[in-house]
Amino acid sequence: MSTILADPPPPIDNTWAVPGIAIPATIAAAVAVYFVVRSVRDSVRTPDDFLIANRRIGPVQNAVALASAPLMYSTLFIITGHIALNGYDAAMLLTAFTTSMVLGVLLFASPIRNLGGYSLGDIFAMRAEERSARRAAAVVTLLIYGMFTIISLAAIAFIFNRWFGLDNVAGLGASVLVVGLVTVLYAYMAGMAGVTRLLVFKAILTLTVVLVLTLLVLAEFNLNIFDILDKAEANRKDVPAGYDLLGPGREFGEGQHRLVHLSKLFCVAVGVAAIPFLFMRNFATTSGKDARRSAGWASMIVVGIYMCMALVGFASVAVLGPERIGVIKAHRDISLPKLVDELGGPVMIGVLAPIALLTIVGVYAALLINAVTCVTKDLNVARGRKPGRADELKDIRRNTLRIGIGSVLVGVAMLPVRTHIFIPTSIDLAGTAILPAVVYALFWRRFNTAGLKWIVYGGTALLFFLVIFSNGVTGPEDAIFPGHDIKFVDIEPGLITVPAGFLLGWLGSISSKERDDAAFAEMQVRALTGGLAPGARKDAARAAAAAAAGGPGGQSPNGAGPNGRGPAPGGPDDHGNQTRTPSEAR
Amino acid sequence: MSSTDSPAGGDRYVAVHGSAGFKTLQRKTNSFLIRASVLFFGWWFIGTSLAAFAPGFFRQEIAGPVNVGLLFMFLTFVVVVTVCASYLRYAANRLDPLTDQVRAELEGEPR
């Protein structure tokens, strides 16, 4: 067994992978995705085309792209295996994800799109001093980008191990390098429009796979769901905690320990909706109404898929029995490939391998666009730079390559480290540093620069302090430094830091005299209506962006052009750059 | 970040923010969102807390392998769909017409 994945024993004997089918299927899928992405390449002519697809993504396309986000490696493969092993308590995680999507529908989708910016910094800057706001937004966006990227690239290595049977260090490193660089190429080619196509393609394939698997397990048990549940219970793997598979207890446990799993559920429910690369998708939709509709539809799609996934999870242990599923935490992701092998045979395993890879490729491509947007719109302004007018798109593309290639190299170098802690930590960070700031910015008159800084820097510092002393860093066998033990935090730190983020924002705001009622009025009016007052100089940039989206004379971010409108002519872009400059020069 | 930065636009926002039309829109939006949030997040949070602290209740069998906990989970999924669907419908029927009015007021020619 490879040491690169740092799998604790017992070693996995991969008897199911079929590289002879998986490798050609992957090459075919890579070529197919290349053509899918290339089909929109010619529409990318301006920075707005690249970063936000010129706000041309219609509600149906956006709904499918949004729905593909919660279908990543850690949900599709790890949670199904988690359910096979830990049953009810693990399935509760799925309800936490859907809860977060409801938060996205009710709180984020429509107001965020109505404000009509590009990045988190655009939202923060409406209620706080511009450069501080953008610096804070860049810090939190890039931290989440870094952590999520490293774990996504590590997941590519896991997929090559689980689905291709590859288990030598050099081979896994090279595979991650190749897949990572191909993803960077996809993002480079067609920006947000291309990534959206890629996500839609991924979503359709993933949905099909989950549906096929559900049908296969239903067929196996003559369409009797009760039989599946009964058999799962009968076949349960006995865990140290005891308890039945279908009732709570296996993860919740007893006494104080109950808070541990509860804290994980809480963090997923409040944090996932606030992860920048997920909710920033809303900026690319045609209007606030469409953003709201697409988020609502996406939640419904995800609910359907998660119900199927819960059933597949229980069915894995029902079909495979207690010894053949992944029986320890680090091996949960082998249950699904084994189930596929059992029900569909080698051909299905081979065909599913590229789809498994595609789930990560989609996530990483979306992350990369988010990071590039952040660097272009937030970091450059925070550092007092202005991108040259004519070269802006070139700069953005060069940044995409630089950030992308750099991250892939770092990701490959980080492969030997057990970085799984980065997923919960980035979810916690989103809940701690972004959720309170967005809620206060939208709803609290008194919110100001100091409040924002306290939330972002105070919350982040507190979170990382707690994370260092929590389970994933030292202590258990699967921690980053398993040989040491300085941990005293058992619960997911977000349970403390999310409320602390709200408290810090309140304290920071009232500690400062800064108060801007006009900015609050503007924020609320724009978030709710999507309108722009005529003659507001400060909004020139957004008005110009809207002009690009809604055609010449479009006054508002909501004045969307018809769906599927052709590439924007050069005019709006020139206009956009001229009007943007004074606002950025402030 | 101050109102002096954009006198015309800033005044317009303050005026609209205080207008009766906007107040109505805001009241209707917030009352729906607050009710939906309290109902949904309350439901989910009470349910998860029961799973953690009253596992005995969730383990009670209802029919065959189905227990109270599994029923709760299924209902949560149903509630997610219901909340999203009712928000989309409420927003399209009740909020959007008001939004369009307020926006026209905001974006009209300066008096």
Side-chain angles (χ1 to χ4, degrees):
Chain A
M1 194 56 229
S2 85
T3 51
I4 197 168
L5 296 173
D7 267 341
I12 290 173
D13 181 21
N14 189 333
T15 53
W16 58 87
V18 195
I21 301 173
I23 292 169
T26 304
I27 294 170
V31 173
V33 174
Y34 174 81
F35 283 107
V36 166
V37 174
R38 210 187 69 159
S39 66
V40 287
R41 187 182 58 179
D42 291 343
S43 71
V44 181
R45 291 175 188 173
T46 68
D48 281 5
D49 290 334
F50 191 88
L51 297 177
I52 49 171
N54 219 347
R55 309 198 201 276
R56 279 201 306 267
I57 308 289
V60 176
Q61 206 185 347
N62 197 55
V64 180
L66 267 175
S68 86
L71 301 173
M72 43 193 165
Y73 191 72
S74 55
T75 50
L76 271 176
F77 301 94
I78 296 183
I79 293 189
T80 44
H82 199 16
I83 294 172
L85 179 61
N86 290 319
Y88 184 81
D89 292 353
M92 285 295 286
L93 278 168
L94 295 178
T95 70
F97 274 97
T98 53
T99 301
S100 203
M101 294 206 73
V102 174
L103 190 62
V105 177
L106 297 180
L107 181 65
F108 286 99
S110 159
I112 296 292
R113 172 60 187 85
N114 276 338
L115 296 174
Y118 296 83
S119 64
L120 193 60
D122 288 326
I123 301 168
F124 288 174
M126 290 189 67
R127 299 296 313 277
E129 189 268 316
E130 173 139 19
R131 282 178 70 172
S132 310
R134 293 193 182 274
R135 202 175 300 123
V139 165
V140 58
T141 307
L142 294 178
L143 269 175
I144 292 176
Y145 168 78
M147 290 193 288
F148 234 96
T149 297
I150 287 169
I151 194 69
S152 297
L153 293 167
I156 294 177
F158 273 90
I159 289 175
F160 273 99
N161 180 264
R162 300 329 192 204
W163 293 82
F164 294 72
L166 189 63
D167 67 354
N168 68 78
V169 178
L172 287 171
S175 311
V176 174
L177 191 68
V178 171
V179 174
L181 293 180
V182 169
T183 311
V184 175
L185 175 74
Y186 293 151
Y188 175 84
M189 271 201 305
M192 184 57 129
V195 170
T196 306
R197 288 284 169 103
L198 166 60
L199 288 173
V200 169
F201 188 70
K202 163 194 155 177
I204 293 170
L205 288 179
T206 332
L207 298 187
T208 314
V209 168
V210 175
L211 286 179
V212 167
L213 277 175
T214 311
L215 291 177
L216 283 176
V217 297
L218 281 173
E220 186 80 9
F221 290 88
N222 296 319
L223 302 181
N224 191 335
I225 294 177
F226 280 18
D227 273 2
I228 297 180
L229 295 175
D230 276 329
K231 193 76 191 292
E233 186 68 83
N235 274 354
R236 69 168 186 265
K237 166 80 185 170
D238 286 317
V239 292
Y243 299 112
D244 290 350
L245 194 71
L246 299 178
R250 293 190 150 213
E251 284 283 290
F252 281 119
E254 291 291 341
Q256 285 293 312
H257 190 72
R258 288 165 173 170
L259 272 176
V260 176
H261 193 57
L262 192 66
S263 65
K264 286 179 188 165
L265 296 172
F266 170 80
C267 292
V268 168
V270 298
V272 170
I275 292 178
F277 82 93
L278 299 182
F279 81 93
M280 292 298 147
R281 279 215 61 75
N282 293 317
F283 285 140
T285 53
T286 36
S287 71
K289 290 169 195 172
D290 287 346
R292 180 182 69 216
R293 263 183 284 181
S294 60
W297 295 339
S299 311
M300 299 180 200
I301 299 173
V302 169
V303 163
I305 290 306
Y306 276 10
M307 284 164 104
C308 293
M309 277 167 54
L311 193 67
V312 170
F314 284 121
S316 313
V317 69
V319 171
L320 295 170
E323 298 309 324
R324 288 167 65 208
I325 58 166
V327 291
I328 60 168
K329 195 177 161 198
H331 293 169
R332 289 173 299 194
D333 54 348
I334 65 169
S335 303
L336 194 69
K338 278 187 163 178
L339 179 74
V340 171
D341 185 41
E342 182 79 22
L343 297 177
V347 175
M348 194 163 170
I349 279 276
V351 173
L352 288 199
I355 299 178
L357 274 179
L358 197 57
T359 61
I360 311 289
V361 168
V363 169
Y364 180 48
L367 273 164
L368 186 56
I369 293 293
N370 183 240
V372 171
T373 310
C374 172
V375 167
T376 311
K377 297 291 172 185
D378 293 341
L379 201 61
N380 281 345
V381 179
R383 294 167 68 184
R385 285 187 194 170
K386 267 180 300 175
R389 275 179 50 196
D391 291 340
E392 209 181 356
L393 181 58
K394 255 189 207 162
D395 277 354
I396 291 171
R397 280 212 151 114
R398 203 179 306 128
N399 277 339
T400 311
L401 283 188
R402 265 193 215 141
I403 300 170
I405 294 171
S407 319
V408 170
L409 293 177
V410 171
V412 172
M414 293 285 282
L415 282 181
V417 184
R418 295 165 185 172
T419 47
H420 67 92
I421 181 74
F422 284 1
I423 291 186
T425 304
S426 42
I427 293 175
D428 289 354
L429 183 58
T432 306
I434 299 178
L435 182 71
V438 171
V439 169
Y440 283 151
L442 286 174
F443 299 108
W444 191 31
R445 182 181 291 272
R446 190 71 174 75
F447 187 57
N448 55 30
T449 311
L452 176 69
K453 283 184 181 168
W454 281 42
I455 291 177
V456 170
Y457 302 119
T460 307
L462 179 66
L463 175 66
F464 279 99
F465 173 78
L466 291 177
V467 166
I468 287 171
F469 296 101
S470 73
N471 278 314
V473 177
T474 63
E477 203 173 29
D478 54 356
I480 298 178
F481 306 106
H484 302 74
D485 191 354
I486 52 166
K487 91 175 164 89
F488 63 85
V489 183
D490 263 323
I491 59 166
E492 190 59 44
L495 187 65
I496 299 168
T497 59
V498 174
F502 279 97
L503 185 68
L504 285 167
W506 180 72
L507 284 174
S509 296
I510 57 165
S511 75
S512 154
K513 283 202 181 68
E514 184 191 351
R515 172 179 174 138
D516 191 343
D517 287 350
F520 176 67
E522 177 180 347
M523 182 82 172
Q524 287 216 311
V525 171
R526 284 177 51 185
L528 218 50
T529 64
L532 276 178
R537 253 197 299 141
K538 184 159 157 296
D539 303 316
R542 279 139 203 160
Q555 286 178 319
S556 74
N558 231 352
N563 225 353
R565 193 173 154 269
D573 176 52
D574 295 340
H575 174 59
N577 280 327
Q578 279 161 9
T579 46
R580 180 153 43 234
T581 315
S583 82
E584 283 182 353
R586 291 199 301 121
Chain B
M1 194 72 224
S2 70
S3 54
T4 54
D5 201 39
S6 49
D11 284 351
R12 185 63 83 92
Y13 288 119
V14 175
V16 170
H17 193 248
S19 71
F22 183 78
K23 290 282 177 217
T24 314
L25 172 64
Q26 195 177 33
R27 200 186 59 239
K28 287 195 171 179
T29 309
N30 289 351
S31 74
F32 184 91
L33 289 185
I34 289 169
R35 263 182 286 169
S37 305
V38 168
L39 215 82
F40 176 71
F41 295 106
W43 159 268
W44 182 79
F45 196 73
I46 290 172
T48 18
S49 303
L50 283 174
F53 298 108
F57 173 62
F58 266 29
R59 290 190 196 115
Q60 280 176 19
E61 287 182 8
I62 295 176
V66 177
N67 54 28
V68 178
L70 287 173
L71 183 69
F72 164 78
M73 196 176 283
F74 179 74
L75 287 178
T76 302
F77 287 136
V78 174
V79 174
V80 168
V81 173
T82 317
V83 166
C84 291
S86 56
Y87 176 51
L88 295 194
R89 215 180 53 186
Y90 181 82
N93 294 337
R94 304 288 180 80
L95 300 178
D96 285 352
L98 270 175
T99 307
D100 293 341
Q101 276 175 25
V102 176
R103 212 172 111 189
E105 186 189 334
L106 176 73
E107 294 183 336
E109 284 307 304
R111 280 153 290 180

PDB file of all heavy atoms in Angstrom, chain A residues 563-586:
ATOM      1  N   ASN A 563     -31.796  35.420 -22.338  1.00  0.00           N
ATOM      2  CA  ASN A 563     -30.927  34.263 -22.174  1.00  0.00           C
ATOM      3  C   ASN A 563     -30.320  33.854 -23.504  1.00  0.00           C
ATOM      4  O   ASN A 563     -30.952  33.946 -24.523  1.00  0.00           O
ATOM      5  CB  ASN A 563     -31.803  33.122 -21.679  1.00  0.00           C
ATOM      6  CG  ASN A 563     -31.106  32.423 -20.573  1.00  0.00           C
ATOM      7  OD1 ASN A 563     -29.948  32.730 -20.299  1.00  0.00           O
ATOM      8  ND2 ASN A 563     -31.791  31.514 -19.943  1.00  0.00           N
ATOM      9  N   GLY A 564     -29.087  33.403 -23.451  1.00  0.00           N
ATOM     10  CA  GLY A 564     -28.494  32.880 -24.673  1.00  0.00           C
ATOM     11  C   GLY A 564     -28.178  33.945 -25.697  1.00  0.00           C
ATOM     12  O   GLY A 564     -28.042  33.670 -26.875  1.00  0.00           O
ATOM     13  N   ARG A 565     -28.080  35.168 -25.218  1.00  0.00           N
ATOM     14  CA  ARG A 565     -27.698  36.242 -26.091  1.00  0.00           C
ATOM     15  C   ARG A 565     -26.254  36.019 -26.551  1.00  0.00           C
ATOM     16  O   ARG A 565     -25.436  35.476 -25.822  1.00  0.00           O
ATOM     17  CB  ARG A 565     -27.796  37.533 -25.294  1.00  0.00           C
ATOM     18  CG  ARG A 565     -27.735  38.786 -26.086  1.00  0.00           C
ATOM     19  CD  ARG A 565     -28.022  39.935 -25.114  1.00  0.00           C
ATOM     20  NE  ARG A 565     -27.402  41.143 -25.596  1.00  0.00           N
ATOM     21  CZ  ARG A 565     -26.188  41.514 -25.263  1.00  0.00           C
ATOM     22  NH1 ARG A 565     -25.487  40.770 -24.470  1.00  0.00           N
ATOM     23  NH2 ARG A 565     -25.678  42.631 -25.726  1.00  0.00           N
ATOM     24  N   GLY A 566     -25.938  36.442 -27.744  1.00  0.00           N
ATOM     25  CA  GLY A 566     -24.611  36.201 -28.301  1.00  0.00           C
ATOM     26  C   GLY A 566     -23.539  36.965 -27.540  1.00  0.00           C
ATOM     27  O   GLY A 566     -23.836  37.704 -26.609  1.00  0.00           O
ATOM     28  N   PRO A 567     -22.284  36.770 -27.941  1.00  0.00           N
ATOM     29  CA  PRO A 567     -21.182  37.447 -27.272  1.00  0.00           C
ATOM     30  C   PRO A 567     -21.375  38.967 -27.314  1.00  0.00           C
ATOM     31  O   PRO A 567     -21.818  39.510 -28.330  1.00  0.00           O
ATOM     32  CB  PRO A 567     -19.968  37.045 -28.095  1.00  0.00           C
ATOM     33  CG  PRO A 567     -20.376  35.881 -28.906  1.00  0.00           C
ATOM     34  CD  PRO A 567     -21.861  35.926 -29.037  1.00  0.00           C
ATOM     35  N   ALA A 568     -21.039  39.615 -26.205  1.00  0.00           N
ATOM     36  CA  ALA A 568     -21.215  41.053 -26.158  1.00  0.00           C
ATOM     37  C   ALA A 568     -20.222  41.709 -27.102  1.00  0.00           C
ATOM     38  O   ALA A 568     -19.080  41.284 -27.203  1.00  0.00           O
ATOM     39  CB  ALA A 568     -20.986  41.550 -24.751  1.00  0.00           C
ATOM     40  N   PRO A 569     -20.650  42.721 -27.794  1.00  0.00           N
ATOM     41  CA  PRO A 569     -19.722  43.446 -28.654  1.00  0.00           C
ATOM     42  C   PRO A 569     -18.699  44.195 -27.814  1.00  0.00           C
ATOM     43  O   PRO A 569     -18.827  44.289 -26.609  1.00  0.00           O
ATOM     44  CB  PRO A 569     -20.624  44.419 -29.403  1.00  0.00           C
ATOM     45  CG  PRO A 569     -21.833  44.581 -28.553  1.00  0.00           C
ATOM     46  CD  PRO A 569     -21.987  43.290 -27.802  1.00  0.00           C
ATOM     47  N   GLY A 570     -17.670  44.711 -28.463  1.00  0.00           N
ATOM     48  CA  GLY A 570     -16.606  45.372 -27.728  1.00  0.00           C
ATOM     49  C   GLY A 570     -17.066  46.623 -26.996  1.00  0.00           C
ATOM     50  O   GLY A 570     -16.467  47.003 -26.009  1.00  0.00           O
ATOM     51  N   GLY A 571     -18.101  47.251 -27.464  1.00  0.00           N
ATOM     52  CA  GLY A 571     -18.521  48.544 -26.929  1.00  0.00           C
ATOM     53  C   GLY A 571     -18.687  48.592 -25.419  1.00  0.00           C
ATOM     54  O   GLY A 571     -17.998  49.359 -24.745  1.00  0.00           O
ATOM     55  N   PRO A 572     -19.578  47.763 -24.865  1.00  0.00           N
ATOM     56  CA  PRO A 572     -19.840  47.821 -23.430  1.00  0.00           C
ATOM     57  C   PRO A 572     -18.575  47.672 -22.599  1.00  0.00           C
ATOM     58  O   PRO A 572     -18.453  48.260 -21.545  1.00  0.00           O
ATOM     59  CB  PRO A 572     -20.788  46.657 -23.195  1.00  0.00           C
ATOM     60  CG  PRO A 572     -21.413  46.401 -24.510  1.00  0.00           C
ATOM     61  CD  PRO A 572     -20.394  46.783 -25.531  1.00  0.00           C
ATOM     62  N   ASP A 573     -17.625  46.894 -23.116  1.00  0.00           N
ATOM     63  CA  ASP A 573     -16.431  46.679 -22.319  1.00  0.00           C
ATOM     64  C   ASP A 573     -15.599  47.948 -22.211  1.00  0.00           C
ATOM     65  O   ASP A 573     -15.139  48.320 -21.148  1.00  0.00           O
ATOM     66  CB  ASP A 573     -15.594  45.558 -22.930  1.00  0.00           C
ATOM     67  CG  ASP A 573     -14.304  45.392 -22.159  1.00  0.00           C
ATOM     68  OD1 ASP A 573     -14.386  45.252 -20.932  1.00  0.00           O
ATOM     69  OD2 ASP A 573     -13.247  45.440 -22.783  1.00  0.00           O
ATOM     70  N   ASP A 574     -15.433  48.626 -23.369  1.00  0.00           N
ATOM     71  CA  ASP A 574     -14.675  49.884 -23.324  1.00  0.00           C
ATOM     72  C   ASP A 574     -15.322  50.842 -22.347  1.00  0.00           C
ATOM     73  O   ASP A 574     -14.682  51.456 -21.510  1.00  0.00           O
ATOM     74  CB  ASP A 574     -14.652  50.518 -24.716  1.00  0.00           C
ATOM     75  CG  ASP A 574     -13.894  49.640 -25.689  1.00  0.00           C
ATOM     76  OD1 ASP A 574     -13.096  48.804 -25.215  1.00  0.00           O
ATOM     77  OD2 ASP A 574     -14.117  49.771 -26.892  1.00  0.00           O
ATOM     78  N   HIS A 575     -16.647  50.899 -22.463  1.00  0.00           N
ATOM     79  CA  HIS A 575     -17.426  51.745 -21.593  1.00  0.00           C
ATOM     80  C   HIS A 575     -17.168  51.355 -20.137  1.00  0.00           C
ATOM     81  O   HIS A 575     -16.897  52.194 -19.285  1.00  0.00           O
ATOM     82  CB  HIS A 575     -18.898  51.560 -21.961  1.00  0.00           C
ATOM     83  CG  HIS A 575     -19.848  52.265 -21.063  1.00  0.00           C
ATOM     84  ND1 HIS A 575     -19.808  53.618 -20.875  1.00  0.00           N
ATOM     85  CD2 HIS A 575     -20.861  51.796 -20.294  1.00  0.00           C
ATOM     86  CE1 HIS A 575     -20.776  53.966 -20.042  1.00  0.00           C
ATOM     87  NE2 HIS A 575     -21.419  52.887 -19.675  1.00  0.00           N
ATOM     88  N   GLY A 576     -17.197  50.048 -19.904  1.00  0.00           N
ATOM     89  CA  GLY A 576     -17.018  49.543 -18.549  1.00  0.00           C
ATOM     90  C   GLY A 576     -15.688  49.970 -17.966  1.00  0.00           C
ATOM     91  O   GLY A 576     -15.611  50.427 -16.832  1.00  0.00           O
ATOM     92  N   ASN A 577     -14.643  49.866 -18.762  1.00  0.00           N
ATOM     93  CA  ASN A 577     -13.341  50.207 -18.227  1.00  0.00           C
ATOM     94  C   ASN A 577     -13.194  51.684 -17.965  1.00  0.00           C
ATOM     95  O   ASN A 577     -12.565  52.099 -17.007  1.00  0.00           O
ATOM     96  CB  ASN A 577     -12.255  49.726 -19.175  1.00  0.00           C
ATOM     97  CG  ASN A 577     -12.005  48.255 -18.983  1.00  0.00           C
ATOM     98  OD1 ASN A 577     -12.123  47.762 -17.874  1.00  0.00           O
ATOM     99  ND2 ASN A 577     -11.703  47.559 -20.050  1.00  0.00           N
ATOM    100  N   GLN A 578     -13.814  52.484 -18.834  1.00  0.00           N
ATOM    101  CA  GLN A 578     -13.698  53.922 -18.624  1.00  0.00           C
ATOM    102  C   GLN A 578     -14.374  54.338 -17.327  1.00  0.00           C
ATOM    103  O   GLN A 578     -13.840  55.109 -16.563  1.00  0.00           O
ATOM    104  CB  GLN A 578     -14.367  54.682 -19.769  1.00  0.00           C
ATOM    105  CG  GLN A 578     -13.471  54.773 -20.987  1.00  0.00           C
ATOM    106  CD  GLN A 578     -14.271  55.089 -22.216  1.00  0.00           C
ATOM    107  OE1 GLN A 578     -15.450  55.399 -22.128  1.00  0.00           O
ATOM    108  NE2 GLN A 578     -13.641  55.017 -23.365  1.00  0.00           N
ATOM    109  N   THR A 579     -15.562  53.772 -17.099  1.00  0.00           N
ATOM    110  CA  THR A 579     -16.301  54.215 -15.928  1.00  0.00           C
ATOM    111  C   THR A 579     -15.779  53.573 -14.658  1.00  0.00           C
ATOM    112  O   THR A 579     -15.938  54.110 -13.587  1.00  0.00           O
ATOM    113  CB  THR A 579     -17.790  53.904 -16.062  1.00  0.00           C
ATOM    114  OG1 THR A 579     -17.893  52.578 -16.533  1.00  0.00           O
ATOM    115  CG2 THR A 579     -18.466  54.858 -16.995  1.00  0.00           C
ATOM    116  N   ARG A 580     -15.143  52.414 -14.807  1.00  0.00           N
ATOM    117  CA  ARG A 580     -14.675  51.750 -13.595  1.00  0.00           C
ATOM    118  C   ARG A 580     -13.490  52.497 -12.988  1.00  0.00           C
ATOM    119  O   ARG A 580     -13.336  52.556 -11.799  1.00  0.00           O
ATOM    120  CB  ARG A 580     -14.274  50.315 -13.914  1.00  0.00           C
ATOM    121  CG  ARG A 580     -13.785  49.572 -12.707  1.00  0.00           C
ATOM    122  CD  ARG A 580     -14.009  48.089 -12.861  1.00  0.00           C
ATOM    123  NE  ARG A 580     -13.671  47.630 -14.177  1.00  0.00           N
ATOM    124  CZ  ARG A 580     -14.494  46.943 -14.950  1.00  0.00           C
ATOM    125  NH1 ARG A 580     -15.679  46.641 -14.530  1.00  0.00           N
ATOM    126  NH2 ARG A 580     -14.130  46.561 -16.138  1.00  0.00           N
ATOM    127  N   THR A 581     -12.641  53.062 -13.867  1.00  0.00           N
ATOM    128  CA  THR A 581     -11.393  53.629 -13.381  1.00  0.00           C
ATOM    129  C   THR A 581     -11.570  54.639 -12.247  1.00  0.00           C
ATOM    130  O   THR A 581     -10.915  54.501 -11.222  1.00  0.00           O
ATOM    131  CB  THR A 581     -10.611  54.244 -14.545  1.00  0.00           C
ATOM    132  OG1 THR A 581     -10.670  53.305 -15.613  1.00  0.00           O
ATOM    133  CG2 THR A 581      -9.175  54.483 -14.176  1.00  0.00           C
ATOM    134  N   PRO A 582     -12.449  55.644 -12.392  1.00  0.00           N
ATOM    135  CA  PRO A 582     -12.532  56.617 -11.295  1.00  0.00           C
ATOM    136  C   PRO A 582     -12.940  55.964  -9.976  1.00  0.00           C
ATOM    137  O   PRO A 582     -12.446  56.345  -8.931  1.00  0.00           O
ATOM    138  CB  PRO A 582     -13.589  57.605 -11.774  1.00  0.00           C
ATOM    139  CG  PRO A 582     -14.206  57.029 -12.974  1.00  0.00           C
ATOM    140  CD  PRO A 582     -13.309  55.982 -13.510  1.00  0.00           C
ATOM    141  N   SER A 583     -13.810  54.984 -10.038  1.00  0.00           N
ATOM    142  CA  SER A 583     -14.276  54.409  -8.784  1.00  0.00           C
ATOM    143  C   SER A 583     -13.162  53.616  -8.112  1.00  0.00           C
ATOM    144  O   SER A 583     -13.095  53.525  -6.899  1.00  0.00           O
ATOM    145  CB  SER A 583     -15.498  53.520  -9.027  1.00  0.00           C
ATOM    146  OG  SER A 583     -15.085  52.256  -9.454  1.00  0.00           O
ATOM    147  N   GLU A 584     -12.284  53.048  -8.908  1.00  0.00           N
ATOM    148  CA  GLU A 584     -11.211  52.281  -8.303  1.00  0.00           C
ATOM    149  C   GLU A 584     -10.072  53.171  -7.836  1.00  0.00           C
ATOM    150  O   GLU A 584      -9.252  52.775  -7.030  1.00  0.00           O
ATOM    151  CB  GLU A 584     -10.670  51.259  -9.305  1.00  0.00           C
ATOM    152  CG  GLU A 584     -11.603  50.088  -9.428  1.00  0.00           C
ATOM    153  CD  GLU A 584     -11.083  49.037 -10.363  1.00  0.00           C
ATOM    154  OE1 GLU A 584     -10.071  49.268 -11.025  1.00  0.00           O
ATOM    155  OE2 GLU A 584     -11.698  47.986 -10.414  1.00  0.00           O
ATOM    156  N   ALA A 585     -10.041  54.374  -8.379  1.00  0.00           N
ATOM    157  CA  ALA A 585      -8.939  55.255  -8.049  1.00  0.00           C
ATOM    158  C   ALA A 585      -9.154  55.946  -6.710  1.00  0.00           C
ATOM    159  O   ALA A 585      -8.283  56.645  -6.232  1.00  0.00           O
ATOM    160  CB  ALA A 585      -8.787  56.311  -9.144  1.00  0.00           C
ATOM    161  N   ARG A 586     -10.332  55.747  -6.122  1.00  0.00           N
ATOM    162  CA  ARG A 586     -10.621  56.460  -4.889  1.00  0.00           C
ATOM    163  C   ARG A 586      -9.598  56.168  -3.813  1.00  0.00           C
ATOM    164  O   ARG A 586      -9.282  55.032  -3.557  1.00  0.00           O
ATOM    165  CB  ARG A 586     -12.009  56.064  -4.357  1.00  0.00           C
ATOM    166  CG  ARG A 586     -13.112  56.592  -5.239  1.00  0.00           C
ATOM    167  CD  ARG A 586     -14.426  56.607  -4.507  1.00  0.00           C
ATOM    168  NE  ARG A 586     -14.835  55.289  -4.039  1.00  0.00           N
ATOM    169  CZ  ARG A 586     -15.050  54.988  -2.775  1.00  0.00           C
ATOM    170  NH1 ARG A 586     -14.850  55.861  -1.844  1.00  0.00           N
ATOM    171  NH2 ARG A 586     -15.461  53.792  -2.445  1.00  0.00           N
TER     172      ARG A 586
END
